[in-house]
Amino acid sequence: MRPNFHSAADQSSRGASWEPSVSRLREAIDARELSLEIQPIVDAVSGQPLKGEALVRWRHPEHGMIGPDRFIALAENNRALIEKLLLWGIEEALAIAVRLAAAGTALPLAINVSGSNLLDIDLPKRIMELLARYGVPPAQLAFEITESAAFGDPMRALAILSQLRGHGFDLALDDFGTGYSSLKVLKQLPFTALKIDKSFVVEVTISSDARIIVKSIVDLARNMGLRSVAEGVETREVADLLGTLGADALQGYWVAPPMNEERLTQWLRVKRSAA
Ligand code: C2E
Ligand code: CA
Ligand code: CA
């Protein structure tokens, strides 16, 4: 049975007739209507937290909670706005990272990066400036790039991703298996992890096709020296099978839902005291 956690997209359904605009989204960032929830990613064997994925939410004064699926595509069509959103997200994550470390519950945080962000060659420099301002080392921040985004303009993406990797950030290829991966390009780009798309993971115990795909991605990652992260782990059965198939890390409602900072801190305390 599906656990009783709802995605931000589910929660936003009551505002379904309203559509956000570029200018309203820009205002929302300045008015601090956006916030981050963090979803833990744990080691498949020990269950210990490895990272947290930062997921943006928009608390609209009239339309309630709006999930990223309702506004990220809009932002992606506007280069200045998607850059503003990314830099806001990094700064917010850095502030959270500093507080988590101060509370004795440090956790590296992963930020989602859109393809349109990989057009700005100054991006690595701006990110390093933010890290310096917050006093956070690159090991405490990581990036997830969706497959189609990274491969839209591979040479430009390569230049930016190589710089980020050179600074020591982990780089995960997101939603793997749903895009147009050329294995040759995959080999050229400096990723450290493959995230297996949840559409395969949710079916892994009931579909032999899904199982073959998940196993193939796990093996591909291992053979390329990358870690494999399964997202969309909703049940113990799925988690157990992923362990058998050799996935390195798990993320999903069965592990923990996306949480605000306070709940995340409590969750981390319980986990670490059980270690
Ligand atoms: P994603 O990167 O694939 O993030 C995982 C999504 O799966 C999240 O949806 C998360 O809440 C949901 N999820 C987590 N566990 C489970 C599970 O067990 N089962 C199922 N079915 N779903 C699960 P969310 O938060 O609605 O985000 C949707 C997408 O929006 C993200 O997909 C990501 O591509 C994008 N996104 C989120 N935050 C940002 C951001 O700050 N910047 C950018 N550029 N994109 C973002
Ligand atoms: Ca992601
Ligand atoms: Ca994903």
Side-chain angles (χ1 to χ4, degrees):
M1 208 182 74
R2 190 181 155 142
N4 191 25
F5 297 125
H6 299 288
S7 72
D10 295 339
Q11 292 166 17
S12 68
S13 57
R14 64 190 156 123
S17 59
W18 173 81
E19 283 306 320
S21 67
V22 163
S23 57
R24 185 62 188 84
L25 179 53
R26 198 180 288 122
E27 272 172 40
I29 301 174
D30 294 333
R32 305 199 57 82
E33 290 171 11
L34 302 192
S35 61
L36 291 180
E37 285 193 329
I38 311 289
Q39 185 174 35
I41 299 170
V42 300
D43 185 279
V45 177
S46 70
Q48 280 303 301
L50 301 172
K51 275 197 175 53
E53 177 174 4
L55 297 159
V56 64
R57 273 88 183 88
W58 178 359
R59 191 178 294 279
H60 191 287
E62 288 124 57
H63 300 287
M65 193 68 118
I66 299 171
D69 286 339
R70 295 268 308 277
F71 60 85
I72 292 295
L74 176 77
E76 282 173 343
N77 287 326
N78 184 302
R79 208 169 134 179
L81 182 56
I82 196 68
E83 176 156 320
K84 185 177 168 83
L85 188 65
L86 176 66
L87 294 174
W88 168 84
I90 293 173
E91 220 176 320
E92 198 68 17
L94 289 171
I96 294 174
V98 166
R99 290 191 292 265
L100 288 176
T105 49
L107 184 72
L109 299 179
I111 308 281
N112 286 285
V113 175
S114 292
S116 13
N117 290 128
L118 297 181
L119 298 171
D120 178 8
I121 202 73
D122 285 338
L123 184 67
K125 197 180 86 197
R126 286 169 205 259
I127 293 175
M128 292 312 290
E129 284 167 2
L130 284 175
L131 262 81
R133 183 156 6 121
Y134 282 81
V136 172
Q140 289 299 306
L141 205 65
F143 298 99
E144 297 190 359
I145 299 101
T146 47
E147 194 180 359
S148 49
F151 293 4
D153 183 350
M155 294 328 287
R156 178 103 55 132
L158 175 62
I160 295 173
L161 294 176
S162 301
Q163 280 191 56
L164 291 173
R165 184 67 200 121
H167 286 302
F169 297 104
D170 274 354
L171 302 175
L173 182 50
D174 208 350
D175 302 342
F176 188 73
T178 60
Y180 324 82
S181 47
S182 136
L183 294 180
K184 189 169 159 222
V185 175
L186 176 59
K187 187 75 195 133
Q188 285 170 349
L189 293 176
F191 288 108
T192 53
L194 293 183
K195 290 194 83 171
I196 308 168
D197 191 68
K198 55 180 174 290
S199 60
F200 308 120
V201 173
V202 292
E203 297 208 325
V204 73
T205 52
I206 53 169
S207 151
S208 61
D209 286 351
R211 193 154 56 244
I212 289 165
I213 291 170
V214 169
K215 174 72 176 145
S216 303
I217 298 175
V218 166
D219 292 345
L220 176 68
R222 174 148 317 131
N223 291 333
M224 294 182 88
L226 309 177
R227 275 173 291 108
S228 55
V229 183
E231 60 180 17
V233 179
E234 296 183 354
T235 65
R236 171 182 289 277
E237 291 69 34
V238 166
D240 288 347
L241 180 53
L242 288 164
T244 308
L245 296 177
D248 294 311
L250 309 180
Q251 175 182 5
Y253 300 143
W254 181 74
V255 175
M259 294 177 277
N260 66 23
E261 189 181 334
E262 193 186 333
R263 283 185 63 203
L264 174 74
T265 310
Q266 287 165 4
W267 185 90
L268 286 167
R269 286 218 172 96
V270 171
K271 276 280 166 188
R272 299 241 158 102
S273 64

